Amino acid sequence: MRYGGWTSARLRRRLLAAAVLGALAAAGVLVAVPLLRDRSQHRLDRRADREVTSTAQRTRAALLAAPSASGPALRDATDAVDGVEVLTVESADPGVRLVFRVRVAKTAASVFGWQRANVGACFAQVVRPAATPAPLERLPCPD
């Protein structure tokens, strides 16, 4: 009789240990999944932001390629770049100042399904008649 009772107690201890390990594993998954999803989304947002900056630099190169062009010609050069919208074209004292918005939408597959990042930023570029370099200025976007 003792042998049967001892097996039953050992079995109960094993089942209890398995239940505790299962509960700890479930709690770990419940904590880790949102953290990993947030990190994955953050990485996608950073990639989209880098692409916005890259597109703005390409737009700047297109604008500075024709420094003696007029405002409408510069607007056309800016509109030729995908994802760029011209907000204003102003005649500045040394040249023409363009304010443009760059928008990028990125999607990526992950373990958690499809994730999406929509990033936009506004920039200003002064194009002078002489071939003098001018910095690309990042501005807050109007709503």
Side-chain angles (χ1 to χ4, degrees):
M1 285 294 167
R2 181 166 166 78
Y3 181 74
W6 183 70
T7 304
S8 174
R10 186 170 53 175
L11 181 61
R12 268 187 305 211
R13 276 187 258 138
R14 285 185 180 171
L15 286 175
L16 180 64
V20 168
L21 284 174
L24 286 174
V29 167
L30 287 174
V31 168
V33 166
L35 293 175
L36 291 174
R37 183 180 303 129
D38 288 346
R39 185 170 183 221
S40 178
Q41 181 66 42
H42 184 66
R43 261 188 277 140
L44 184 61
D45 288 338
R46 281 189 312 203
R47 270 198 326 233
D49 190 51
R50 282 194 305 264
E51 190 169 329
V52 163
T53 304
S54 172
T55 303
Q57 291 293 334
R58 279 197 318 269
T59 304
R60 178 181 186 267
L63 289 171
L64 295 179
S68 61
S70 64
L74 292 173
R75 178 184 283 272
D76 292 340
T78 304
D79 284 336
V81 180
D82 286 337
V84 177
E85 170 192 5
V86 177
L87 299 177
T88 61
V89 178
E90 303 167 348
S91 293
D93 187 24
V96 178
R97 182 175 192 259
L98 279 97
V99 177
F100 56 94
R101 177 181 298 169
V102 179
R103 291 185 180 157
V104 171
K106 290 189 84 61
T107 57
S110 72
V111 176
F112 313 105
W114 287 97
Q115 292 181 322
R116 178 181 306 259
N118 294 319
V119 178
C122 293
F123 298 90
Q125 177 67 52
V126 176
V127 181
R128 296 185 178 108
T132 57
L136 182 65
E137 181 183 358
R138 192 169 189 148
L139 303 172
C141 285
D143 291 330

